[in-house]
Amino acid sequence: MSTASPLPIAYGFFQPLLDWQSALAESWLQAQDLQLQMLSTWHHPFTAVHQELWDLWVAHFGGGVPLDA
């Protein structure tokens, strides 16, 4: 019996499809990474605004000086 298998030759026809699928997955991951970077960039100003509003609320309703927890 022959030990050579014809399968590697047959799988060679799928290589363009696998390359396309790999490129699609990589671009999808890059898009998600960009979205996460944008979310992280927006997170800091909103955190500062939230802290400022909390300090104002505590100063008004909490009896004066805002305490850092």
Side-chain angles (χ1 to χ4, degrees), residues 25-49:
E26 186 176 341
S27 67
W28 183 70
L29 288 174
Q30 287 176 354
Q32 275 194 328
D33 185 46
L34 182 62
Q35 288 175 344
L36 184 60
Q37 288 175 2
M38 289 188 299
L39 180 64
S40 176
T41 302
W42 275 93
H43 176 73
H44 298 293
F46 284 122
T47 302
V49 168

Side-chain angles (χ1 to χ4, degrees), residues 51-60 62-69:
Q51 186 64 44
E52 180 65 26
L53 291 174
W54 176 251
D55 290 343
L56 289 173
W57 186 90
V58 168
H60 185 66
V65 181
L67 301 173
D68 292 332

